[in-house]
Amino acid sequence: MTKLKNDRYLRALLKKTLDCTPVWIMRQAGRYLPEYRAIRSMAGDFMSLCKNAELSSELTIQPLRRFPLDAAILFSDILTIPDAMGLGLYFKEGEGPKFQNPITCKADIDKIKLPDPECELQYVMNAIRQTCKNLEDTVPLIGFSGSPWTLATYMIEGGSSRNFSKIKKLMYTEPKTLHLLLKKLSATISKYLNAQIQAGIHSVIIFDTWGGILTPCNYNLFSLQYMHKVIDGLSTENDGCRIPVTIFAKNAGMWIENIAETGCDAIGLDWTIKISDAKKRVGKKVAIQGNMDPSVLYAKPQRIRKEVEKILENFGNGTGHIFSLGHGIHPDVSPENVSVFIDAVHELSKVYHSK
Ligand code: CP3
């Protein structure tokens, strides 16, 4: 299938047989690691890390030196696209991402030029090429993008938001204007992910972090429909290998049947749904990623192992499960507990793959 030394992650996504369940962690390169904090404090700001291929590659690989993870995820961010569209991304200490020029009206959307992935976003492709070289075919490299809806929330709110009042106001007063933005984003995201595939990534994730704040009807109209368009625009093969696509769906457990219809290979779940329930509902169609509460990693080793066991038992026998947290790892978790977690997944899952 691939020349990777460890291809468990890809095999689980494509539902091929396994020796044990693969595991990776959202934000596995991040502030809980002292070696990340050291490089971060040298570089000054987060985006200069993303824009430097050597540093991005180094940070991508840092967690793999410590832990036997089954995948690497590119050190970058979903907000590279709005930045390349001219919105002026910056990070304010303790406040998360912000934009200098958020979208305020239709004219702002008309003005947006679709970025060329090998021009304005070339630094991302360079980071991928560098990381592939440095990984030496050990594990797959995951590429990613935000969903059109999730990117639009940051672009219109001007940063993170509590109640999403600006984008929801636009949705209810000028839906056509919002659709215009979502169309531009969908086209850009497909091109961006195709360029990532060409640059060497082995699998892609579409992060729909904020789809779960919508009504069922608006979810279909403003989020799901556009993720479907993104996936329709992907060339999911490179060098004769399939490039599986995962949709990470936060707070969207009630809509997984619809998500499974988009053509994705896997659905990433948060911790608010039982994985056995998800398997029953969509397990024939897609693989399932998840779904331990990230706060479990604050617990003592024995309790972490117990929680891992619960999820493995809940999923039951066979392939099609990628173990992960339901959202990003908290910055104040101890790396020792992460080690306990990863070892528990590998050890305790063996029996579920022996038949
Ligand atoms: O290790 C990895 O998972 C890969 C790198 C990665 C980052 N962001 C690095 C990062 C990935 C996959 C993302 C995705 C991302 N970024 C999402 C989707 C997933 C999710 O979290 O729901 C979203 C919504 C963003 C936007 C974003 N970037 C926010 C809201 C923040 C601030 C929140 C925070 O944790 O501080 C960021 C900054 C960011 N992206 C950091 C990292 C490691 C922290 C930077 C730092 O201060 O060192």
Side-chain angles (χ1 to χ4, degrees):
M1 191 163 85
T2 62
K3 52 186 178 189
L4 295 169
K5 290 181 190 91
N6 171 356
D7 63 356
R8 270 184 207 127
Y9 174 76
L10 298 175
R11 292 185 68 85
L13 284 170
L14 298 172
K15 300 204 192 180
K16 297 184 186 259
T17 54
L18 290 164
D19 58 337
C20 65
T21 303
V23 54
W24 76 282
I25 299 172
M26 195 187 299
R27 299 275 162 99
Q28 62 191 27
R31 286 161 295 186
Y32 75 104
L33 287 178
E35 57 269 36
Y36 170 84
R37 296 197 296 271
I39 291 190
R40 168 85 162 73
S41 66
M42 251 166 42
D45 92 304
F46 169 70
M47 279 312 281
S48 28
L49 295 175
C50 299
K51 291 189 175 176
N52 179 318
E54 282 293 341
L55 289 181
S56 163
S57 165
E58 168 60 21
L59 293 173
T60 302
I61 293 172
Q62 270 184 353
L64 291 132
R65 293 200 189 101
R66 261 190 197 254
F67 313 115
L69 289 153
D70 295 294
I73 179 160
L74 181 71
F75 189 84
S76 188
D77 201 80
I78 63 165
L79 300 176
T80 51
I81 286 182
D83 189 46
M85 287 178 159
L87 271 67
L89 173 65
Y90 65 102
F91 283 84
K92 243 185 153 175
E93 208 55 57
E95 284 184 42
K98 295 242 186 273
F99 288 112
Q100 273 155 0
N101 321 302
I103 303 276
T104 58
C105 58
K106 179 167 180 294
D108 289 342
I109 297 170
D110 289 334
K111 237 176 23 204
I112 291 175
K113 286 199 208 74
L114 304 195
D116 176 346
E118 281 293 356
C119 186
E120 294 91 340
L121 290 159
Q122 198 182 37
Y123 67 91
V124 178
M125 307 311 146
N126 289 341
I128 292 172
R129 288 185 276 260
Q130 185 65 49
T131 308
C132 284
K133 215 189 276 173
N134 295 353
L135 275 173
E136 297 177 325
D137 293 324
T138 44
V139 291
L141 177 62
I142 305 171
F144 63 88
S145 167
S147 72
W149 166 260
T150 292
L151 293 185
T153 64
Y154 287 99
M155 294 168 81
I156 292 170
E157 298 294 327
S160 301
S161 175
R162 190 170 268 276
N163 50 19
F164 300 90
S165 53
K166 294 190 178 106
I167 193 166
K168 286 197 168 181
K169 183 175 173 189
L170 191 67
M171 186 173 76
Y172 284 113
T173 56
E174 288 184 60
K176 279 194 181 139
T177 304
L178 184 52
H179 282 300
L180 211 63
L181 176 61
L182 293 167
K183 256 183 222 149
K184 282 195 166 188
L185 283 167
S186 309
T188 305
I189 292 166
S190 292
K191 263 174 84 175
Y192 182 54
L193 290 176
N194 282 335
Q196 291 189 25
I197 293 168
Q198 283 305 309
I201 61 102
H202 300 94
S203 173
V204 304
I205 302 181
I206 299 169
F207 287 105
D208 192 28
T209 305
W210 300 118
I213 62 157
L214 289 165
T215 63
C217 175
N218 286 335
Y219 179 72
N220 287 333
L221 272 176
F222 292 93
S223 185
L224 194 70
Q225 180 193 181
Y226 290 100
M227 290 197 282
H228 206 143
K229 280 195 206 314
V230 168
I231 293 175
D232 283 347
L234 294 182
S235 316
T236 47
E237 224 185 270
N238 193 24
D239 241 354
C241 294
R242 264 294 308 286
I243 309 291
V245 180
T246 301
I247 289 184
F248 170 70
K250 185 136 192 299
N251 252 306
M254 51 293 189
W255 303 321
I256 52 176
E257 286 85 354
N258 303 359
I259 299 170
E261 297 290 328
T262 57
C264 65
D265 298 281
I267 302 180
L269 302 173
D270 68 14
W271 55 89
T272 59
I273 170 172
K274 252 181 134 169
I275 204 160
S276 54
D277 178 27
K279 189 182 184 186
K280 241 183 259 153
R281 289 164 54 195
V282 296
K284 284 211 167 68
K285 195 148 194 178
V286 292
I288 296 166
Q289 175 196 288
N291 67 339
M292 197 173 87
D293 182 348
S295 300
V296 169
L297 295 183
Y298 290 130
K300 297 213 163 65
Q302 250 186 347
R303 180 68 194 271
I304 295 173
R305 285 177 69 86
K306 217 178 205 152
E307 293 293 326
V308 166
E309 174 65 54
K310 261 197 238 169
I311 291 174
L312 289 171
E313 192 185 350
N314 230 271
F315 186 86
N317 286 328
T319 183
H321 181 204
I322 299 95
F323 213 111
S324 197
L325 303 179
H327 203 201
I329 184 168
H330 298 309
D332 56 345
V333 155
S334 89
E336 289 72 32
N337 284 9
V338 174
S339 193
V340 169
F341 163 63
I342 292 167
D343 289 347
V345 173
H346 286 152
E347 268 172 54
L348 302 173
S349 65
K350 284 197 178 85
V351 294
Y352 297 99
H353 297 280
S354 57
K355 290 164 206 126

